[in-house]
Amino acid sequence: MDFRTEIEPVSFPFEITQKDRFLSIGSCFSDKFGRYLQDNKLDCFSNPYGTIFNPISIFRLLNSSITEQPVMNRYLTENNGQWYHYDYHSKLSETSASSLSHHLEELHKKVRDYLRKTDYLVITLGTAFVYRLKNNQHVVANCHKKPADHFDKELLTQKEIGIRFRQFYEKLKLFNPKIKIIFTVSPVRHIKDTLQGNNLSKSLLRLATHYFCQDFKDVHYFPAYEILMDDLRDYRYYEEDMIHVNETGQKYVIENFKESAFSPDLKQFINQWQHLKNQLNHRPFQPESESHQKFLKNLLNRLEQIGNTVDVEKEKELVKAQLM
């Protein structure tokens, strides 16, 4: 008897290889995905603007990087001696407005240079609820703990999300014609919007991504949301706050993505690399023993072999430092 409804395997019209580059952006779930790629020696620029939840802010930031638009300094704001920008996450802050503006300009240049050679843009959408500044209705990415009466809360429409994406998509494809976009909807629940509101929000995001995939042949969807909601469907896969996905749930989702999208060679490499990482993390009782020294020499040889395809200089130095 089956006690689960497992999700159907996703079939992508491409295979991701070890040479491909990624830019991952969006909600905190995109951080986990980006870290997985980086930990397995893939080239990934993860959440350069910090955690961004709503699609309007995501598309606007990427568009600003592509088109070299200057940072909108009128949206800089100060709080307890630190300067923030309404379009970015609070981790991007400085002690002066000018230094923050300069920092953000440099960040956009870095993103633009990276995007020009990126193969896959992975966008994780978190919520369709947005906050607009009351004075001009500008959608903010982060309220930076400003008083609630500064903002109007609004639920985006599928039409507005679609218009904003099409505008961004057209500029992106002129900038980098080879790039593919993979959308996911974050399984992290925004209970501050109430559970009813969260479900309404996620349904709008899911509907939007469905039409993106229908309208553009190089836009794809990976069902991270459905895997948590309908496949795992259990609080065991969430943190104690019952909101964020725990490590076990994250691993299951990422393993599904790996099986769906990675080439056989890349899967083989990741398995090999994970084995080497476990050996690198080994802590012996007798570091000077002959057996452990032999183990280190063998490990160094394997790192040198794999070093023909990926950068393992840090790992090699770590092993060399332990050799007697």
Side-chain angles (χ1 to χ4, degrees), residues 165-178:
F165 174 70
R166 182 178 290 272
Q167 293 170 343
F168 157 67
Y169 174 85
E170 290 173 351
K171 292 175 182 176
L172 174 67
K173 294 301 288 186
L174 287 173
F175 181 75
N176 180 350
K178 73 171 183 177

Side-chain angles (χ1 to χ4, degrees), residues 108-164:
H108 278 290
K109 290 179 184 178
K110 187 176 180 181
V111 173
R112 181 167 61 253
D113 291 342
Y114 193 90
L115 261 178
R116 193 181 299 278
K117 299 178 181 179
T118 294
D119 299 285
Y120 295 94
L121 173 61
V122 182
I123 301 176
T124 303
L125 303 178
T127 182
F129 280 104
V130 296
Y131 291 85
R132 296 183 185 270
L133 288 169
K134 282 190 174 180
N135 59 355
N136 63 5
Q137 292 300 293
H138 180 77
V139 172
V140 304
N142 197 301
C143 295
H144 300 303
K145 300 182 179 180
K146 290 293 184 175
D149 60 9
H150 286 30
F151 309 95
D152 288 320
K153 185 177 180 179
E154 177 187 307
L155 182 65
L156 294 171
T157 65
Q158 190 273 325
K159 181 179 180 180
E160 182 175 7
I161 298 171
I163 290 172
R164 296 296 186 95

Side-chain angles (χ1 to χ4, degrees), residues 211-229:
Y211 285 117
F212 297 162
C213 296
Q214 278 200 338
D215 293 343
F216 306 102
K217 65 179 181 180
D218 45 10
V219 176
H220 310 277
Y221 178 76
F222 177 72
Y225 177 76
E226 290 84 349
I227 289 172
L228 263 297
M229 295 296 108

